[in-house]
Amino acid sequence: MNVKTKIIVLHMKEIIYTAIFTLLTLLLIVLAVVMFLPEKKSSSTNTKQNYVPGVYTASVTLNNTDLEVEVAVDESHINSIRFTNLNESVTTMFPLIQPAIEDIAEQIYEKQSLDEISLSKETPYTSKVILDTITKAIKKAAVK
């Protein structure tokens, strides 16, 4: 019997590099699978229809001037809130009205609800009037 014994010499450095590259390859494959698989819709998301899509307005009177608050909604989200006829005379008489509506609108965009909206300490009364006007417009948009 003529059996030739083969001896393989492996350096420890080569084994470590191979193990690291194998782990990095597996990590890359797992990352690619996680990134490119379609997301499952969770049952906790609000998919029911809350609003009739459209733009709704409500008015508020400040110093004998009617201001229209415009609220744009789609089926389940409040998309924008703004004053439609805010002119320079009103902003001169009420300089904090624009920051107040921007603050309230930002909170509503985040929560998608009118509950637990914190009113500004600088303009509590103006903020309350604006919030009441927004509530009127949202009630017009609500699904009955």
Side-chain angles (χ1 to χ4, degrees):
M1 293 228 228
N2 208 1
V3 177
K4 292 185 178 180
T5 306
K6 293 184 180 181
I7 298 175
I8 299 175
V9 177
L10 297 175
H11 296 286
M12 190 60 149
K13 188 188 282 187
E14 292 174 355
I15 294 173
I16 292 173
Y17 286 155
T18 304
I20 288 173
F21 286 130
T22 304
L23 286 173
L24 286 175
T25 304
L26 288 174
L27 181 67
L28 183 63
I29 291 170
V30 169
L31 181 65
V33 167
V34 168
M35 284 179 57
F36 295 114
L37 279 181
E39 292 183 23
K40 295 180 180 178
K41 301 270 183 178
S42 67
S43 60
S44 65
T45 58
N46 190 4
T47 58
K48 67 177 186 168
Q49 184 175 356
N50 294 331
Y51 310 111
V52 176
V55 178
Y56 299 89
T57 60
S59 62
V60 60
T61 303
L62 295 175
N63 199 23
N64 295 328
T65 304
D66 286 334
L67 294 177
E68 298 256 333
V69 175
E70 180 181 271
V71 179
V73 297
D74 60 18
E75 292 179 349
S76 59
H77 294 91
I78 301 169
N79 295 327
S80 72
I81 300 170
R82 67 182 186 102
F83 282 117
T84 57
N85 58 345
L86 188 64
N87 56 29
E88 288 184 28
S89 64
V90 175
T91 56
T92 303
M93 294 294 291
F94 303 98
L96 298 177
I97 196 163
Q98 188 64 33
I101 196 167
E102 288 172 0
D103 179 47
I104 292 171
E106 186 176 315
Q107 292 179 51
I108 292 172
Y109 297 152
E110 283 180 22
K111 298 176 183 177
Q112 288 297 314
S113 171
L114 298 176
D115 301 329
E116 299 177 18
I117 300 296
S118 61
L119 301 179
S120 172
K121 292 181 181 177
E122 292 86 27
T123 60
Y125 302 112
T126 306
S127 297
K128 178 67 175 151
V129 169
I130 292 170
L131 186 60
D132 290 343
T133 308
I134 293 171
T135 304
K136 289 178 191 174
I138 295 291
K139 284 182 181 176
K140 291 179 184 178
V143 172
K144 294 177 171 94

